[in-house]
Amino acid sequence: MRYARKHRGPFGRDARGAAILEMAVILPVLLTIGLGVFEFGNLIYRYHLITVGVRDGARYIAGLPQADDSGNSLVAGNETAAKNIAIYGTTGTSTPRVSWWNDPTTMIAINYTNVPNDNGSGVKLYRGGANIVLVTMSTNVEYQPLGFLGFLGLGTITLHAQHEERLFGVR
């Protein structure tokens, strides 16, 4: 023990440079955590905007009258407006909710499903016909990262949003 104290020399008492060494060790870890939080926060925010858009579009098309006085379907004719509501927030075109989610014709799918209007016992669940028509609006879109995911070597992330509404006609 006496030997160690005797030969440590000036380095044992000198603390200069310790702070910069600690900073050099900790800074990459803190930057990685901070940039990761920023990137994944952006991903969650964009996913939320896409989910809200799909929900708004499905609700719009579910509230349309199903047919005009002549029996022509009004729902199918308004699919473009519903897709525009999902992406732009309006029936026309304007600035998209998310800059890279901008093509309503290819990025959004609308499907209709007929479901029996009873629970198997013959008791109707809703007033109306024998079937309930459900509209499902969905999208699959690749997330455009800010750059940190590529730095980490992670692959692409596909965001999927879907919303289902019962067609109920005029509100």
PDB file of all heavy atoms in Angstrom, residues 119-155:
ATOM      1  N   ASN A 119     -78.494 -11.134 -33.610  1.00  0.00           N
ATOM      2  CA  ASN A 119     -77.455 -11.847 -32.880  1.00  0.00           C
ATOM      3  C   ASN A 119     -77.632 -13.357 -32.974  1.00  0.00           C
ATOM      4  O   ASN A 119     -77.206 -14.090 -32.095  1.00  0.00           O
ATOM      5  CB  ASN A 119     -77.420 -11.389 -31.416  1.00  0.00           C
ATOM      6  CG  ASN A 119     -78.760 -11.574 -30.737  1.00  0.00           C
ATOM      7  OD1 ASN A 119     -79.691 -12.108 -31.339  1.00  0.00           O
ATOM      8  ND2 ASN A 119     -78.872 -11.123 -29.504  1.00  0.00           N
ATOM      9  N   GLY A 120     -78.290 -13.811 -34.006  1.00  0.00           N
ATOM     10  CA  GLY A 120     -78.522 -15.240 -34.194  1.00  0.00           C
ATOM     11  C   GLY A 120     -79.865 -15.686 -33.662  1.00  0.00           C
ATOM     12  O   GLY A 120     -80.318 -16.787 -33.942  1.00  0.00           O
ATOM     13  N   SER A 121     -80.519 -14.865 -32.875  1.00  0.00           N
ATOM     14  CA  SER A 121     -81.804 -15.244 -32.290  1.00  0.00           C
ATOM     15  C   SER A 121     -82.977 -14.641 -33.052  1.00  0.00           C
ATOM     16  O   SER A 121     -84.127 -14.861 -32.678  1.00  0.00           O
ATOM     17  CB  SER A 121     -81.868 -14.783 -30.829  1.00  0.00           C
ATOM     18  OG  SER A 121     -81.827 -13.375 -30.772  1.00  0.00           O
ATOM     19  N   GLY A 122     -82.698 -13.873 -34.093  1.00  0.00           N
ATOM     20  CA  GLY A 122     -83.758 -13.247 -34.860  1.00  0.00           C
ATOM     21  C   GLY A 122     -84.152 -11.878 -34.333  1.00  0.00           C
ATOM     22  O   GLY A 122     -85.011 -11.219 -34.896  1.00  0.00           O
ATOM     23  N   VAL A 123     -83.546 -11.445 -33.239  1.00  0.00           N
ATOM     24  CA  VAL A 123     -83.835 -10.131 -32.675  1.00  0.00           C
ATOM     25  C   VAL A 123     -82.937  -9.105 -33.354  1.00  0.00           C
ATOM     26  O   VAL A 123     -81.709  -9.252 -33.352  1.00  0.00           O
ATOM     27  CB  VAL A 123     -83.592 -10.121 -31.144  1.00  0.00           C
ATOM     28  CG1 VAL A 123     -83.834  -8.733 -30.569  1.00  0.00           C
ATOM     29  CG2 VAL A 123     -84.449 -11.164 -30.465  1.00  0.00           C
ATOM     30  N   LYS A 124     -83.547  -8.063 -33.930  1.00  0.00           N
ATOM     31  CA  LYS A 124     -82.766  -7.053 -34.643  1.00  0.00           C
ATOM     32  C   LYS A 124     -81.954  -6.214 -33.659  1.00  0.00           C
ATOM     33  O   LYS A 124     -82.430  -5.831 -32.605  1.00  0.00           O
ATOM     34  CB  LYS A 124     -83.675  -6.145 -35.464  1.00  0.00           C
ATOM     35  CG  LYS A 124     -84.218  -6.804 -36.697  1.00  0.00           C
ATOM     36  CD  LYS A 124     -84.939  -5.803 -37.542  1.00  0.00           C
ATOM     37  CE  LYS A 124     -85.383  -6.462 -38.836  1.00  0.00           C
ATOM     38  NZ  LYS A 124     -86.013  -5.510 -39.726  1.00  0.00           N
ATOM     39  N   LEU A 125     -80.725  -5.930 -34.058  1.00  0.00           N
ATOM     40  CA  LEU A 125     -79.873  -5.072 -33.251  1.00  0.00           C
ATOM     41  C   LEU A 125     -80.164  -3.603 -33.510  1.00  0.00           C
ATOM     42  O   LEU A 125     -80.094  -2.775 -32.603  1.00  0.00           O
ATOM     43  CB  LEU A 125     -78.397  -5.370 -33.551  1.00  0.00           C
ATOM     44  CG  LEU A 125     -77.936  -6.799 -33.277  1.00  0.00           C
ATOM     45  CD1 LEU A 125     -76.518  -7.002 -33.781  1.00  0.00           C
ATOM     46  CD2 LEU A 125     -78.013  -7.101 -31.800  1.00  0.00           C
ATOM     47  N   TYR A 126     -80.465  -3.270 -34.762  1.00  0.00           N
ATOM     48  CA  TYR A 126     -80.751  -1.895 -35.154  1.00  0.00           C
ATOM     49  C   TYR A 126     -82.037  -1.880 -35.962  1.00  0.00           C
ATOM     50  O   TYR A 126     -82.379  -2.859 -36.627  1.00  0.00           O
ATOM     51  CB  TYR A 126     -79.618  -1.315 -36.016  1.00  0.00           C
ATOM     52  CG  TYR A 126     -78.302  -1.238 -35.309  1.00  0.00           C
ATOM     53  CD1 TYR A 126     -77.324  -2.191 -35.526  1.00  0.00           C
ATOM     54  CD2 TYR A 126     -78.039  -0.199 -34.423  1.00  0.00           C
ATOM     55  CE1 TYR A 126     -76.104  -2.115 -34.866  1.00  0.00           C
ATOM     56  CE2 TYR A 126     -76.833  -0.123 -33.760  1.00  0.00           C
ATOM     57  CZ  TYR A 126     -75.871  -1.079 -33.983  1.00  0.00           C
ATOM     58  OH  TYR A 126     -74.682  -0.999 -33.333  1.00  0.00           O
ATOM     59  N   ARG A 127     -82.726  -0.737 -35.920  1.00  0.00           N
ATOM     60  CA  ARG A 127     -83.897  -0.584 -36.774  1.00  0.00           C
ATOM     61  C   ARG A 127     -83.444  -0.598 -38.223  1.00  0.00           C
ATOM     62  O   ARG A 127     -82.380  -0.099 -38.553  1.00  0.00           O
ATOM     63  CB  ARG A 127     -84.608   0.732 -36.490  1.00  0.00           C
ATOM     64  CG  ARG A 127     -85.395   0.714 -35.207  1.00  0.00           C
ATOM     65  CD  ARG A 127     -86.140   2.000 -35.023  1.00  0.00           C
ATOM     66  NE  ARG A 127     -85.164   2.999 -34.579  1.00  0.00           N
ATOM     67  CZ  ARG A 127     -85.349   4.286 -34.637  1.00  0.00           C
ATOM     68  NH1 ARG A 127     -86.460   4.779 -35.135  1.00  0.00           N
ATOM     69  NH2 ARG A 127     -84.435   5.120 -34.214  1.00  0.00           N
ATOM     70  N   GLY A 128     -84.208  -1.157 -39.064  1.00  0.00           N
ATOM     71  CA  GLY A 128     -83.856  -1.177 -40.472  1.00  0.00           C
ATOM     72  C   GLY A 128     -83.984  -2.566 -41.052  1.00  0.00           C
ATOM     73  O   GLY A 128     -84.757  -3.393 -40.575  1.00  0.00           O
ATOM     74  N   GLY A 129     -83.178  -2.821 -42.084  1.00  0.00           N
ATOM     75  CA  GLY A 129     -83.278  -4.047 -42.840  1.00  0.00           C
ATOM     76  C   GLY A 129     -82.649  -5.246 -42.148  1.00  0.00           C
ATOM     77  O   GLY A 129     -82.304  -5.226 -40.969  1.00  0.00           O
ATOM     78  N   ALA A 130     -82.493  -6.298 -42.946  1.00  0.00           N
ATOM     79  CA  ALA A 130     -81.959  -7.550 -42.427  1.00  0.00           C
ATOM     80  C   ALA A 130     -80.448  -7.504 -42.259  1.00  0.00           C
ATOM     81  O   ALA A 130     -79.890  -8.304 -41.521  1.00  0.00           O
ATOM     82  CB  ALA A 130     -82.334  -8.695 -43.363  1.00  0.00           C
ATOM     83  N   ASN A 131     -79.792  -6.566 -42.954  1.00  0.00           N
ATOM     84  CA  ASN A 131     -78.339  -6.465 -42.871  1.00  0.00           C
ATOM     85  C   ASN A 131     -77.912  -5.077 -42.398  1.00  0.00           C
ATOM     86  O   ASN A 131     -78.600  -4.085 -42.616  1.00  0.00           O
ATOM     87  CB  ASN A 131     -77.689  -6.728 -44.236  1.00  0.00           C
ATOM     88  CG  ASN A 131     -77.761  -8.181 -44.630  1.00  0.00           C
ATOM     89  OD1 ASN A 131     -77.734  -9.070 -43.789  1.00  0.00           O
ATOM     90  ND2 ASN A 131     -77.870  -8.424 -45.926  1.00  0.00           N
ATOM     91  N   ILE A 132     -76.739  -5.038 -41.784  1.00  0.00           N
ATOM     92  CA  ILE A 132     -76.087  -3.786 -41.428  1.00  0.00           C
ATOM     93  C   ILE A 132     -74.915  -3.646 -42.384  1.00  0.00           C
ATOM     94  O   ILE A 132     -74.166  -4.602 -42.608  1.00  0.00           O
ATOM     95  CB  ILE A 132     -75.568  -3.822 -39.975  1.00  0.00           C
ATOM     96  CG1 ILE A 132     -76.704  -4.042 -38.996  1.00  0.00           C
ATOM     97  CG2 ILE A 132     -74.797  -2.569 -39.651  1.00  0.00           C
ATOM     98  CD1 ILE A 132     -76.246  -4.325 -37.593  1.00  0.00           C
ATOM     99  N   VAL A 133     -74.741  -2.460 -42.947  1.00  0.00           N
ATOM    100  CA  VAL A 133     -73.618  -2.223 -43.848  1.00  0.00           C
ATOM    101  C   VAL A 133     -72.539  -1.495 -43.059  1.00  0.00           C
ATOM    102  O   VAL A 133     -72.776  -0.447 -42.473  1.00  0.00           O
ATOM    103  CB  VAL A 133     -74.041  -1.393 -45.073  1.00  0.00           C
ATOM    104  CG1 VAL A 133     -72.851  -1.154 -45.992  1.00  0.00           C
ATOM    105  CG2 VAL A 133     -75.165  -2.092 -45.818  1.00  0.00           C
ATOM    106  N   LEU A 134     -71.351  -2.090 -43.032  1.00  0.00           N
ATOM    107  CA  LEU A 134     -70.204  -1.485 -42.362  1.00  0.00           C
ATOM    108  C   LEU A 134     -69.244  -0.958 -43.417  1.00  0.00           C
ATOM    109  O   LEU A 134     -68.980  -1.624 -44.418  1.00  0.00           O
ATOM    110  CB  LEU A 134     -69.473  -2.512 -41.492  1.00  0.00           C
ATOM    111  CG  LEU A 134     -70.274  -3.150 -40.369  1.00  0.00           C
ATOM    112  CD1 LEU A 134     -69.431  -4.212 -39.668  1.00  0.00           C
ATOM    113  CD2 LEU A 134     -70.736  -2.115 -39.367  1.00  0.00           C
ATOM    114  N   VAL A 135     -68.736   0.242 -43.198  1.00  0.00           N
ATOM    115  CA  VAL A 135     -67.717   0.798 -44.077  1.00  0.00           C
ATOM    116  C   VAL A 135     -66.401   0.781 -43.304  1.00  0.00           C
ATOM    117  O   VAL A 135     -66.349   1.171 -42.142  1.00  0.00           O
ATOM    118  CB  VAL A 135     -68.074   2.216 -44.572  1.00  0.00           C
ATOM    119  CG1 VAL A 135     -68.253   3.186 -43.426  1.00  0.00           C
ATOM    120  CG2 VAL A 135     -67.046   2.725 -45.550  1.00  0.00           C
ATOM    121  N   THR A 136     -65.361   0.291 -43.956  1.00  0.00           N
ATOM    122  CA  THR A 136     -64.037   0.233 -43.352  1.00  0.00           C
ATOM    123  C   THR A 136     -63.088   1.035 -44.223  1.00  0.00           C
ATOM    124  O   THR A 136     -62.932   0.751 -45.407  1.00  0.00           O
ATOM    125  CB  THR A 136     -63.532  -1.219 -43.243  1.00  0.00           C
ATOM    126  OG1 THR A 136     -64.492  -1.983 -42.519  1.00  0.00           O
ATOM    127  CG2 THR A 136     -62.197  -1.280 -42.539  1.00  0.00           C
ATOM    128  N   MET A 137     -62.457   2.030 -43.627  1.00  0.00           N
ATOM    129  CA  MET A 137     -61.454   2.818 -44.332  1.00  0.00           C
ATOM    130  C   MET A 137     -60.106   2.473 -43.717  1.00  0.00           C
ATOM    131  O   MET A 137     -59.959   2.460 -42.495  1.00  0.00           O
ATOM    132  CB  MET A 137     -61.740   4.313 -44.197  1.00  0.00           C
ATOM    133  CG  MET A 137     -60.768   5.183 -44.966  1.00  0.00           C
ATOM    134  SD  MET A 137     -61.169   6.926 -44.882  1.00  0.00           S
ATOM    135  CE  MET A 137     -62.379   7.028 -46.175  1.00  0.00           C
ATOM    136  N   SER A 138     -59.129   2.166 -44.563  1.00  0.00           N
ATOM    137  CA  SER A 138     -57.819   1.769 -44.043  1.00  0.00           C
ATOM    138  C   SER A 138     -56.707   2.313 -44.927  1.00  0.00           C
ATOM    139  O   SER A 138     -56.925   2.653 -46.088  1.00  0.00           O
ATOM    140  CB  SER A 138     -57.723   0.246 -43.952  1.00  0.00           C
ATOM    141  OG  SER A 138     -57.836  -0.322 -45.239  1.00  0.00           O
ATOM    142  N   THR A 139     -55.528   2.369 -44.343  1.00  0.00           N
ATOM    143  CA  THR A 139     -54.345   2.812 -45.074  1.00  0.00           C
ATOM    144  C   THR A 139     -53.117   2.116 -44.522  1.00  0.00           C
ATOM    145  O   THR A 139     -53.063   1.774 -43.339  1.00  0.00           O
ATOM    146  CB  THR A 139     -54.176   4.342 -45.006  1.00  0.00           C
ATOM    147  OG1 THR A 139     -53.093   4.723 -45.844  1.00  0.00           O
ATOM    148  CG2 THR A 139     -53.896   4.808 -43.598  1.00  0.00           C
ATOM    149  N   ASN A 140     -52.167   1.870 -45.387  1.00  0.00           N
ATOM    150  CA  ASN A 140     -50.830   1.408 -45.021  1.00  0.00           C
ATOM    151  C   ASN A 140     -49.856   2.371 -45.676  1.00  0.00           C
ATOM    152  O   ASN A 140     -49.863   2.509 -46.891  1.00  0.00           O
ATOM    153  CB  ASN A 140     -50.548  -0.015 -45.528  1.00  0.00           C
ATOM    154  CG  ASN A 140     -51.299  -1.057 -44.753  1.00  0.00           C
ATOM    155  OD1 ASN A 140     -51.376  -0.997 -43.536  1.00  0.00           O
ATOM    156  ND2 ASN A 140     -51.877  -2.006 -45.459  1.00  0.00           N
ATOM    157  N   VAL A 141     -49.036   3.030 -44.877  1.00  0.00           N
ATOM    158  CA  VAL A 141     -48.122   4.027 -45.418  1.00  0.00           C
ATOM    159  C   VAL A 141     -46.784   3.909 -44.696  1.00  0.00           C
ATOM    160  O   VAL A 141     -46.731   3.642 -43.504  1.00  0.00           O
ATOM    161  CB  VAL A 141     -48.727   5.446 -45.301  1.00  0.00           C
ATOM    162  CG1 VAL A 141     -48.997   5.826 -43.878  1.00  0.00           C
ATOM    163  CG2 VAL A 141     -47.872   6.463 -45.976  1.00  0.00           C
ATOM    164  N   GLU A 142     -45.714   4.061 -45.470  1.00  0.00           N
ATOM    165  CA  GLU A 142     -44.377   3.994 -44.883  1.00  0.00           C
ATOM    166  C   GLU A 142     -44.045   5.304 -44.193  1.00  0.00           C
ATOM    167  O   GLU A 142     -44.207   6.380 -44.762  1.00  0.00           O
ATOM    168  CB  GLU A 142     -43.319   3.702 -45.952  1.00  0.00           C
ATOM    169  CG  GLU A 142     -43.286   2.279 -46.399  1.00  0.00           C
ATOM    170  CD  GLU A 142     -42.109   1.981 -47.305  1.00  0.00           C
ATOM    171  OE1 GLU A 142     -41.187   2.819 -47.398  1.00  0.00           O
ATOM    172  OE2 GLU A 142     -42.123   0.908 -47.908  1.00  0.00           O
ATOM    173  N   TYR A 143     -43.583   5.208 -42.960  1.00  0.00           N
ATOM    174  CA  TYR A 143     -43.173   6.383 -42.191  1.00  0.00           C
ATOM    175  C   TYR A 143     -41.894   6.947 -42.791  1.00  0.00           C
ATOM    176  O   TYR A 143     -40.956   6.210 -43.070  1.00  0.00           O
ATOM    177  CB  TYR A 143     -42.950   5.978 -40.727  1.00  0.00           C
ATOM    178  CG  TYR A 143     -42.320   7.053 -39.886  1.00  0.00           C
ATOM    179  CD1 TYR A 143     -43.011   8.218 -39.587  1.00  0.00           C
ATOM    180  CD2 TYR A 143     -41.038   6.909 -39.395  1.00  0.00           C
ATOM    181  CE1 TYR A 143     -42.439   9.208 -38.816  1.00  0.00           C
ATOM    182  CE2 TYR A 143     -40.460   7.897 -38.618  1.00  0.00           C
ATOM    183  CZ  TYR A 143     -41.170   9.043 -38.331  1.00  0.00           C
ATOM    184  OH  TYR A 143     -40.588  10.027 -37.564  1.00  0.00           O
ATOM    185  N   GLN A 144     -41.876   8.249 -42.999  1.00  0.00           N
ATOM    186  CA  GLN A 144     -40.691   8.926 -43.502  1.00  0.00           C
ATOM    187  C   GLN A 144     -39.924   9.491 -42.307  1.00  0.00           C
ATOM    188  O   GLN A 144     -40.310  10.509 -41.748  1.00  0.00           O
ATOM    189  CB  GLN A 144     -41.094  10.069 -44.452  1.00  0.00           C
ATOM    190  CG  GLN A 144     -41.900   9.614 -45.639  1.00  0.00           C
ATOM    191  CD  GLN A 144     -41.130   8.713 -46.567  1.00  0.00           C
ATOM    192  OE1 GLN A 144     -39.974   8.959 -46.857  1.00  0.00           O
ATOM    193  NE2 GLN A 144     -41.767   7.660 -47.023  1.00  0.00           N
ATOM    194  N   PRO A 145     -38.848   8.835 -41.889  1.00  0.00           N
ATOM    195  CA  PRO A 145     -38.164   9.237 -40.653  1.00  0.00           C
ATOM    196  C   PRO A 145     -37.427  10.564 -40.798  1.00  0.00           C
ATOM    197  O   PRO A 145     -37.149  11.031 -41.904  1.00  0.00           O
ATOM    198  CB  PRO A 145     -37.193   8.091 -40.400  1.00  0.00           C
ATOM    199  CG  PRO A 145     -36.935   7.500 -41.736  1.00  0.00           C
ATOM    200  CD  PRO A 145     -38.205   7.690 -42.520  1.00  0.00           C
ATOM    201  N   LEU A 146     -37.093  11.140 -39.659  1.00  0.00           N
ATOM    202  CA  LEU A 146     -36.326  12.373 -39.631  1.00  0.00           C
ATOM    203  C   LEU A 146     -34.853  12.121 -39.910  1.00  0.00           C
ATOM    204  O   LEU A 146     -34.107  13.047 -40.171  1.00  0.00           O
ATOM    205  CB  LEU A 146     -36.483  13.050 -38.265  1.00  0.00           C
ATOM    206  CG  LEU A 146     -37.904  13.443 -37.898  1.00  0.00           C
ATOM    207  CD1 LEU A 146     -37.952  13.983 -36.478  1.00  0.00           C
ATOM    208  CD2 LEU A 146     -38.445  14.456 -38.871  1.00  0.00           C
ATOM    209  N   GLY A 147     -34.414  10.885 -39.826  1.00  0.00           N
ATOM    210  CA  GLY A 147     -33.033  10.542 -40.117  1.00  0.00           C
ATOM    211  C   GLY A 147     -32.372   9.701 -39.042  1.00  0.00           C
ATOM    212  O   GLY A 147     -31.386   9.019 -39.288  1.00  0.00           O
ATOM    213  N   PHE A 148     -32.913   9.733 -37.843  1.00  0.00           N
ATOM    214  CA  PHE A 148     -32.286   9.010 -36.752  1.00  0.00           C
ATOM    215  C   PHE A 148     -32.447   7.494 -36.893  1.00  0.00           C
ATOM    216  O   PHE A 148     -31.552   6.738 -36.551  1.00  0.00           O
ATOM    217  CB  PHE A 148     -32.849   9.477 -35.406  1.00  0.00           C
ATOM    218  CG  PHE A 148     -32.151   8.879 -34.230  1.00  0.00           C
ATOM    219  CD1 PHE A 148     -30.835   9.215 -33.954  1.00  0.00           C
ATOM    220  CD2 PHE A 148     -32.780   7.969 -33.405  1.00  0.00           C
ATOM    221  CE1 PHE A 148     -30.179   8.661 -32.875  1.00  0.00           C
ATOM    222  CE2 PHE A 148     -32.134   7.419 -32.334  1.00  0.00           C
ATOM    223  CZ  PHE A 148     -30.825   7.763 -32.061  1.00  0.00           C
ATOM    224  N   LEU A 149     -33.587   7.041 -37.425  1.00  0.00           N
ATOM    225  CA  LEU A 149     -33.797   5.606 -37.609  1.00  0.00           C
ATOM    226  C   LEU A 149     -32.807   5.029 -38.610  1.00  0.00           C
ATOM    227  O   LEU A 149     -32.308   3.920 -38.447  1.00  0.00           O
ATOM    228  CB  LEU A 149     -35.231   5.323 -38.052  1.00  0.00           C
ATOM    229  CG  LEU A 149     -36.320   5.632 -37.034  1.00  0.00           C
ATOM    230  CD1 LEU A 149     -37.683   5.375 -37.642  1.00  0.00           C
ATOM    231  CD2 LEU A 149     -36.137   4.827 -35.781  1.00  0.00           C
ATOM    232  N   GLY A 150     -32.493   5.777 -39.659  1.00  0.00           N
ATOM    233  CA  GLY A 150     -31.494   5.338 -40.627  1.00  0.00           C
ATOM    234  C   GLY A 150     -30.109   5.292 -40.018  1.00  0.00           C
ATOM    235  O   GLY A 150     -29.311   4.409 -40.323  1.00  0.00           O
ATOM    236  N   PHE A 151     -29.822   6.249 -39.148  1.00  0.00           N
ATOM    237  CA  PHE A 151     -28.530   6.273 -38.457  1.00  0.00           C
ATOM    238  C   PHE A 151     -28.365   5.025 -37.586  1.00  0.00           C
ATOM    239  O   PHE A 151     -27.271   4.466 -37.500  1.00  0.00           O
ATOM    240  CB  PHE A 151     -28.429   7.539 -37.597  1.00  0.00           C
ATOM    241  CG  PHE A 151     -27.221   7.588 -36.724  1.00  0.00           C
ATOM    242  CD1 PHE A 151     -25.961   7.824 -37.277  1.00  0.00           C
ATOM    243  CD2 PHE A 151     -27.322   7.391 -35.366  1.00  0.00           C
ATOM    244  CE1 PHE A 151     -24.845   7.870 -36.471  1.00  0.00           C
ATOM    245  CE2 PHE A 151     -26.213   7.436 -34.551  1.00  0.00           C
ATOM    246  CZ  PHE A 151     -24.960   7.676 -35.110  1.00  0.00           C
ATOM    247  N   LEU A 152     -29.444   4.582 -36.977  1.00  0.00           N
ATOM    248  CA  LEU A 152     -29.398   3.376 -36.144  1.00  0.00           C
ATOM    249  C   LEU A 152     -29.400   2.096 -36.974  1.00  0.00           C
ATOM    250  O   LEU A 152     -29.174   1.023 -36.453  1.00  0.00           O
ATOM    251  CB  LEU A 152     -30.576   3.347 -35.176  1.00  0.00           C
ATOM    252  CG  LEU A 152     -30.552   4.384 -34.064  1.00  0.00           C
ATOM    253  CD1 LEU A 152     -31.806   4.247 -33.218  1.00  0.00           C
ATOM    254  CD2 LEU A 152     -29.312   4.233 -33.210  1.00  0.00           C
ATOM    255  N   GLY A 153     -29.689   2.210 -38.274  1.00  0.00           N
ATOM    256  CA  GLY A 153     -29.721   1.041 -39.138  1.00  0.00           C
ATOM    257  C   GLY A 153     -31.045   0.294 -39.090  1.00  0.00           C
ATOM    258  O   GLY A 153     -31.122  -0.854 -39.525  1.00  0.00           O
ATOM    259  N   LEU A 154     -32.095   0.933 -38.575  1.00  0.00           N
ATOM    260  CA  LEU A 154     -33.407   0.297 -38.536  1.00  0.00           C
ATOM    261  C   LEU A 154     -34.055   0.399 -39.908  1.00  0.00           C
ATOM    262  O   LEU A 154     -33.851   1.363 -40.640  1.00  0.00           O
ATOM    263  CB  LEU A 154     -34.297   0.963 -37.493  1.00  0.00           C
ATOM    264  CG  LEU A 154     -33.792   0.872 -36.051  1.00  0.00           C
ATOM    265  CD1 LEU A 154     -34.686   1.686 -35.141  1.00  0.00           C
ATOM    266  CD2 LEU A 154     -33.735  -0.565 -35.586  1.00  0.00           C
ATOM    267  N   GLY A 155     -34.852  -0.585 -40.254  1.00  0.00           N
ATOM    268  CA  GLY A 155     -35.531  -0.584 -41.546  1.00  0.00           C
ATOM    269  C   GLY A 155     -36.712   0.363 -41.552  1.00  0.00           C
ATOM    270  O   GLY A 155     -36.917   1.154 -40.630  1.00  0.00           O
TER     271      GLY A 155
END
